[in-house]
Structure formats: structure tokens, C-alpha cells
Amino acid sequence: MLDTVWPDSWRAAFRIELRAEAIGLAWRGWPVIPGTYPDAEPGAAAQSATSMWTRPTPAHDDWESRIGAHPQQVAAWWTGRPYSLLVATGTLVDAIEVDDQLGRRAAVLLRATGQPAPIVALPNGRWLFLTVSANGIPRTLSDAEGVEWHGEGSWVPLPPTPFRHGVVHWRVKPDVWGWKLPSAEVVHDVLVRALEGEPHPHALRQVLPVEPSAA
């Protein structure tokens, strides 16, 4: 847990990084909101008792009214507290959450077709594909086991948000594609195709890093 395990210097550096990322996203118009963190006291929008904490939720019950806050307000929220970094979905950005297997297949297909898409990796093995907001997802995806659409009324964590056993990180950063979110239709189509089978092994080796062999 953040405040009981990490040294003071690490906690301070991590708070600074979370605050900087939140401010940077807010300046770009992303609807960031503060989220709970592993050592937060219960009693917020969703309680985060350390014995049950699995992923962050909005730290304030009125989180929807905080969407679109000025970067100066965002900076104030993150001053002194290591809030998780959440982005509210359904206005500017949506996210499709999938398991590791489907995420890897879809990432290969996106790379092969040259389509840009920011991709987030969660410490629990889940992947998030970010898109512009849409009114829904194809029935093939909504019916698929392990696929979750985050649209209006939801949120997702962004790096460097801590989970209990790891930190959220980018697999594909937004700046790689000039901070341009892909259309929902393009990513939906790729995910549907990824559900149909594995990509070619040669394409997989081109996209995914090869683990070094043991000496």
C-alpha cells in the first residue's frame, strides 16, 4: 500500500508524477477526475478499504459535476494527495476493456493496418483501447465474454495510477499518434476481427517484444 510500504521519497515523487500527468491531460481537454488509491480512507463514492481494494473509483460522490474542470483546479485536486488518475468516459473518450489474449490480437491487427490507437495496460492483465466517444458497440463485442465498454457514466484509470499489485502503464502512448483518438468504428472493427482468430505469427513477432532467453 502506497503510504505504508513505499519510502517517503518514492511517495513524494509518485505524487508529483500523478499530478503532472493529470494537469497535462486536462490541458489537452481530457476529462480527468481524482480516483481512490490503495491507502485511501473509505467513505468516498465507492469505499476503498485496503483489504478489498482492487481498482480505483472516483474519489468524490459528485465526480460527474467535476468533468471538464480547468487545469488549475485539477492541479489543486492533486496537491498533497496521490489520487489515482481517472478519465471520465462518454464525452470525449470511450474505452473498450478486454483480456490479455484479445488485447494482443487486436494490437497486432491495429499495427498491421496502420491504425493509431492509444492502448493502456492494467496490472490485472486487462487492456484498454481508447477511442472517440460513440453511442454503443457492435453486438458481437457486447455479447463477448470479458469485453466491457466504458461509455457515458463510466471511467477508466490512466497511467501512472497504482493498483494494489502494480501500476497502470501505456502500451501505446497518445503522443505516438499526435494525441488523435481513433474513431470508435475503426477500433470496434479491429476488435471484432480479433475475436475471430489469432493473427499471423509473423505479424505477432513484429509487434510484441521478444523476451530475452536465459543465459
Side-chain angles (χ1 to χ4, degrees):
M1 288 166 282
L2 195 63
D3 278 343
T4 58
V5 175
W6 290 15
D8 290 342
S9 60
W10 289 14
R11 294 203 311 269
F14 199 69
R15 287 191 179 109
I16 292 171
E17 185 177 359
L18 282 164
R19 184 172 182 270
E21 290 295 325
I23 294 171
L25 288 171
W27 275 114
R28 293 183 178 277
W30 287 43
V32 296
I33 54 174
T36 54
Y37 47 96
D39 63 333
E41 294 181 358
Q47 294 187 353
S48 59
T50 56
S51 62
M52 300 178 63
W53 197 89
T54 55
R55 68 162 65 191
T57 57
H60 304 98
D61 292 327
D62 63 344
W63 65 271
E64 290 181 285
S65 68
R66 297 171 183 252
I67 294 173
H70 190 277
Q72 291 181 345
Q73 178 61 66
V74 171
W77 287 338
W78 266 269
T79 298
R81 282 184 177 269
Y83 283 126
S84 297
L85 175 53
L86 306 183
V87 63
T89 53
T91 55
L92 172 76
V93 57
D94 282 359
I96 306 292
E97 181 176 341
V98 301
D99 61 28
D100 180 75
Q101 185 178 36
L102 180 56
R104 288 176 179 271
R105 292 202 301 264
V108 169
L109 292 174
L110 281 169
R111 176 67 63 86
T113 58
Q115 296 290 348
I119 303 174
V120 176
L122 306 183
N124 61 2
R126 305 282 285 171
W127 293 44
L128 298 171
F129 289 77
L130 306 186
T131 74
V132 298
S133 291
N135 293 325
I137 61 174
R139 182 70 176 269
T140 303
L141 293 179
S142 62
D143 288 346
E145 183 178 358
V147 175
E148 182 177 357
W149 173 50
H150 295 275
E152 185 177 0
S154 188
W155 60 84
V156 292
L158 293 185
T161 290
F163 274 43
R164 193 167 188 181
H165 299 296
V167 177
V168 178
H169 65 277
W170 292 107
R171 286 194 177 275
V172 179
K173 296 182 178 181
D175 56 351
V176 172
W177 305 107
W179 289 89
K180 295 179 180 178
L181 288 167
S183 71
E185 291 78 9
V186 167
V187 176
H188 294 170
D189 177 68
V190 167
L191 286 167
V192 168
R193 289 163 53 200
L195 279 169
E196 297 174 351
E198 295 282 350
H200 193 279
H202 293 305
L204 190 65
R205 286 197 292 270
Q206 290 174 3
V207 175
L208 300 178
V210 177
E211 295 293 336
S213 59

